[in-house]
Amino acid sequence: MTAVLHRLGLDSPLAFKLVIASLLVGSVLSIISTALQLGDSYVRQKGETIAILDRIEQTQAKSLERAVWTFNEAQVEIILDGMITDANVGFVALTSELGQGWERGDLPSDDPDLVRIYTLQHAFDDGRLEPVADLEVHLNLATVRDRVWAQFWATFITNLIKAYLAALALLYLVHYLITRHLNKIAEYVSAQHAPGEVPL
């Protein structure tokens, strides 16, 4: 072990402090880099999740309107069950103009960005619109946060390993190119003077 430390130049206090400083700097830079990457990933994934609200309006809202208008409660149940199977949808509530109500999921904490209320309307041939029901959808970002945390640890550990390997490689190069030569010079200078003699 001593031979390995000597080969790397870590047997001197200065080299050891340089290793510690390099590892600390590498760790801090790794944390900052990982945080920046994950912050961008969270914003992107949150945007993709919120886009689900637009897809619901474009696809399932019209089907729900027809099902409620024709009193097809079985179809309403099927559509709502399908919506809540999406891991990003935390709560769905449908209230018809006649007072009928359906709910799926658990109501998460309110976040204006993650809640949308759709007014479902039936369009007559003459262009008139009649309200049929209100659909309320709450998104749940728990799955997004779980994915981001998993990415954080994977990215952080990878970056940390890279930083440590780079620090060790740098220290070896410094020792090979500089430190070992300085040690030889110091040994040579010491050998030229008798014990107790102070070199000029």
Side-chain angles (χ1 to χ4, degrees), residues 177-196:
L177 297 175
I178 301 174
T179 308
R180 68 191 184 102
H181 297 298
L182 292 178
N183 288 338
K184 289 181 179 179
I185 293 173
E187 291 173 2
Y188 175 78
V189 171
S190 298
Q192 302 305 310
H193 302 278

Side-chain angles (χ1 to χ4, degrees), residues 24-116:
L24 287 176
V25 171
S27 299
V28 171
L29 291 178
S30 178
I31 292 174
I32 293 174
S33 173
T34 304
L36 291 175
Q37 293 177 36
L38 270 297
D40 179 69
S41 176
Y42 178 78
V43 171
R44 177 176 50 78
Q45 292 190 50
K46 181 178 179 180
E48 293 173 354
T49 301
I50 292 176
I52 292 173
L53 297 173
D54 294 327
R55 291 199 296 272
I56 289 174
E57 183 175 14
Q58 296 165 5
T59 58
Q60 294 157 307
K62 188 61 180 176
S63 299
L64 272 175
E65 177 269 310
R66 284 196 298 269
V68 175
W69 180 256
T70 58
F71 300 100
N72 190 342
E73 295 187 15
Q75 185 64 22
V76 171
E77 299 277 355
I78 291 173
I79 295 173
L80 293 179
D81 287 340
M83 292 172 63
I84 203 65
T85 56
D86 190 322
N88 295 306
V89 177
F91 178 77
V92 178
L94 180 68
T95 305
S96 73
E97 291 296 312
L98 299 178
Q100 292 175 291
W102 295 265
E103 290 186 356
R104 295 290 188 279
D106 299 316
L107 189 63
S109 58
D110 290 335
D111 184 335
D113 292 335
L114 306 177
V115 179
R116 187 171 298 181

Side-chain angles (χ1 to χ4, degrees), residues 31 34-35 37-39 41-42 45 141-157:
I31 292 174
T34 304
Q37 293 177 36
L38 270 297
S41 176
Y42 178 78
Q45 292 190 50
L141 289 182
T143 54
V144 173
R145 285 190 288 267
D146 290 343
R147 286 197 300 268
V148 169
W149 274 115
Q151 291 175 359
F152 171 82
W153 288 115
T155 305
F156 174 70
I157 291 172

